[in-house]
Amino acid sequence: MSGGSVLEVGARVRFEGRTWTVAALAGGQVRLVAENGEMAALLLALLFAQEDFEVVDAAAVCRVPPLGLLESLPAPVRERALAWERHVREVETGHPGGFGAAGPARAEYDPEVRTLAQREEAKAAELSAAGMPTSAVTVRRMRARYRDGGVWALVDQRAVRPRSALGRADERVVAALREVLEVGQERSSGTLGRLRAYTERLLAERHGPGVVPLPSTATFNRLVHALADGRGLLGSARQRRWRSARPAPPFVPTTVMAPGELVMMASTVLDAFVVLNDGVVERPELTIALDVATRSICAAVLRPKGTRSVDAAQLLAQMMVPAPMRPAWPEVLAMQRSVIPYERLLSVDARLEGAAARPVITPRTVVVDQGRVFVSSTFVAACGSLGISLQPAPPGNGPAKGHVERTFSSINTLFAQHVAGYTGSHTGERGRNAQGEAVWTLAQLDDLLQEWIICGWQEREHEGLRHPMMPRRALSPNEMWAALVAVCGYVPVPLEREDYIELMPVKRQKINDYGIRIDYRTYDHRVLNPYRGEPSPAADGLWEIHYNPHAPDEVWVRLPEPGRPRGYGWEAVPWIHRTLVSAPFTDFTWQHVRSTVAQRGSRVSHEHDLALALRELLERAAAGHGSRRDKVVAARARAHAAANEDGAVWGILYGQPPPTSAGGGRDDVHEGGEDAFEDEEEETAVAIGGGRQPFEPADARGVAAAGTADGQAPPVRDSTITVYDPFEESLRW
């Protein structure tokens, strides 16, 4: 460009924070001499590319015209600027194309004949004659602009003046409206009229009534859209909450290269009805764990409404063990028939024999939401015991765990909508008799879901899975896991029976003379005799007690045992009123009974009243009597109990159910014990209602808890077995 800096021999340049003198230019190279005599040779292209390169004492010019900005201008404005560029060049060089243009210069613009002032006068006269009145001063000013800023300086600045979407609105009105919109993000949606009323009220409070008038309704509405549309402040309440909880951009994408490096867990209500006991129909809750690297659904738990933290902890355990093949599944679903390197993995982990084609992934980091199930002390402790880093997502921020949320949507479209009793994503999509179409029980639907995960999800190509060596081909979760496990390796994590107890909710309290009391339920057994009233070895002096909310008829107590490798053993302690309630119940069933039974006597008698009320509730629900709420509570309890027995971690990890009674003493909790009680028929008396009540033998308690062999509920026990016999008690004393 005319007037630009020239790099020539003898010129002084600044490079790498020092001043150099150009000594030679040859073959695209330059030789520089520093002030201290140091010499350097480098390519011209490299010198020009340096950020701090400049020619000392050279005028700053626009070297390359901003063509992109010129294209954004209106056509008349752009053509006028380009025309002025040709006129300025002709005045300075004699040719519209500048130096080096072919052909002779016009006589009135020939630099050899006419002075610069004469050429400026000639150009002004030419433009005025062409219908664009111009003076020599204007031509001189355009020349100065062009030399300083290039063609962009010749553009009419009125066309490039930044325009505000708010127009000429009063800044006080804009500030008040913006504040009202920000505060309303957490509120229910309203109309534009409500925004106008709130804005007017805020202006009156700050500046006085009538001091700052609002614009017309149409202008105000345009102002609202100008402020809110780009920021989503007029969307639905859910969208506004999401945007308010979203962290500030820019967002850094998460790159995961190993299975288990990042696992996302979440719960949702499945868009399908299931049939619980007594004909109760409701939607179950689905909790899944998704591995981001392979998009594998590592584990899935389907429960009635009321998912507890123990279910989330069970999900962690299910991820680390192979999924067993179920009897009705076809052989094609076996891991041996899949793309997974079965033979090589089997030599490392013998548990994979007969397993289904679902990857075994040990999570390192788990991302969860702020639901009480995932932030509970039980789940946090379970992650800590398994060496898993827990990362809660921001509250109300679904995109923070977008992978698992998108997977829920895929489950609805690929699986749930094909299930009888499908509800649709919202009530507007629900059929007229969706509840009447429900035919599957919770166990049956869970079996269908687990089968679909293996054949419908793990073998389905996922567009987000691409191998670096095959970027054009989408891989399935199983194929991606097979590719990554060959690079990252596979380390099996065996879990023992005691690990499942460790994953249960925990309480710390004393062992009193009457036993252990948790939420108006007293647990007692002879194994507690040496520790009644004694402090535990822990620093707080309290004993560690684990319980299962889905089966609160017994608890596990950590008791010292020097012979064990860890120095302790787990003892199962039953509920003293276990014989009163033969039907399965859960913790929320007990809470429902507590809310309906008023306390009239002592705590001991109130516990007995609660046990009788619980038995009566379950019997009424089984007979079809009682309120709908009672039936729903009882049905959920039976469904939770069935899921806890049939699909529990016990059966998956060890191929056998957990011990259901404490009658076996230490031998039932762990192998190799030598302190088994000799006489299981002997009745143990426990304090209740001012006297003592005989315990039932362990075998009978086991039948009461597990039901009959054909899966039917055991007959209701006669309540006379719990009556206090003073004569028999006097003989015992």
Side-chain angles (χ1 to χ4, degrees), residues 128-183:
S128 299
M132 189 173 68
T134 308
S135 65
V137 176
T138 301
V139 175
R140 190 175 302 113
R141 184 173 63 252
M142 299 302 284
R143 285 183 51 248
R145 288 183 181 179
Y146 185 68
R147 178 174 293 275
D148 293 338
V151 68
W152 182 253
L154 303 178
V155 176
D156 188 350
Q157 298 303 309
R158 292 174 296 180
V160 299
R161 185 179 301 164
R163 297 182 180 181
S164 172
L166 306 179
R168 291 175 290 181
D170 193 328
E171 291 295 333
R172 295 171 294 180
V173 176
V174 173
L177 178 57
R178 183 178 285 112
E179 183 175 346
V180 171
L181 288 171
E182 293 288 347
V183 174

Side-chain angles (χ1 to χ4, degrees), residues 252-268:
V252 180
T254 301
T255 303
V256 184
M257 299 300 297
E261 183 178 352
L262 185 64
V263 175
M264 296 183 177
M265 297 178 63
S267 297
T268 188

